[in-house]
Amino acid sequence: MKVILQADVKKVGAKGDVVEVSDGYGRNYLLPRKLAVEANAANLNSAKVKAENKARKLQQEADEAKLLGAQLEKISVKIPGKDGKLFGSVGGSDVAKALSKNHSLNVDKRKISIQGEVTGIGVFDAIIKLHPEVTTKIKIEVVAG
């Protein structure tokens, strides 16, 4: 029996896959629990359209990440220290706040990793992972406040 999976099923396949399963497994387990639908012509066309939409959406996200990465490469972030000193170190949240405040760009603080430890005044590099395929590097300038 051919079925289209509606959810990830262990040792069978991922959501959206068209798989061949035994008749009993399909009729007695997958179909009643709505884990799969029968693979007839209408359902196959529907699954194909959904897969195309998903691929298009993923490509659009990647393109948006590339555009944001191009914008970020041109930017240098300035973070003021207090009286020429830093109390603690500069982290991803500080960089995200500075990007949001000064450049109106929203970047998740968890996607920002700073190379080395920023505990003093100077220029440092940070890597921002915008998408699984897109990473960009920006300069962080810690200045005396």
Side-chain angles (χ1 to χ4, degrees), residues 11-134:
K11 297 184 181 179
V12 177
K15 181 178 179 178
D17 288 349
V18 178
V19 294
E20 182 77 31
V21 295
S22 67
D23 290 343
Y25 184 62
R27 272 189 306 236
N28 297 324
Y29 184 77
L30 295 175
L31 295 178
R33 289 175 174 79
K34 307 231 187 288
L35 296 174
V37 293
E38 209 169 327
N40 56 27
N43 289 340
L44 284 172
N45 285 336
S46 175
K48 183 179 177 183
V49 168
K50 286 180 183 177
E52 289 172 355
N53 288 340
K54 184 178 179 182
R56 190 177 318 115
K57 184 177 178 182
L58 289 174
Q59 183 61 39
Q60 182 180 6
E61 288 174 359
D63 291 342
E64 289 173 1
K66 287 177 186 176
L67 288 173
L68 183 59
Q71 287 178 333
L72 285 171
E73 283 182 348
K74 300 172 187 174
I75 291 175
S76 175
V77 178
K78 290 187 180 183
I79 298 177
K82 190 172 185 179
D83 297 329
K85 293 183 182 180
L86 278 179
F87 297 100
S89 64
V90 174
S93 61
D94 299 321
V95 176
K97 285 177 188 174
L99 282 171
S100 177
K101 182 180 176 185
N102 298 335
H103 302 287
S104 300
L105 294 172
N106 293 326
V107 178
D108 188 10
K109 67 181 181 183
R110 293 171 285 184
K111 296 182 179 186
I112 300 171
S113 65
I114 300 174
Q115 296 177 335
E117 191 171 306
V118 181
T119 56
I121 295 175
V123 178
F124 303 92
D125 288 330
I127 296 176
I128 301 176
K129 188 171 185 176
L130 299 169
H131 191 267
E133 303 168 1
V134 180

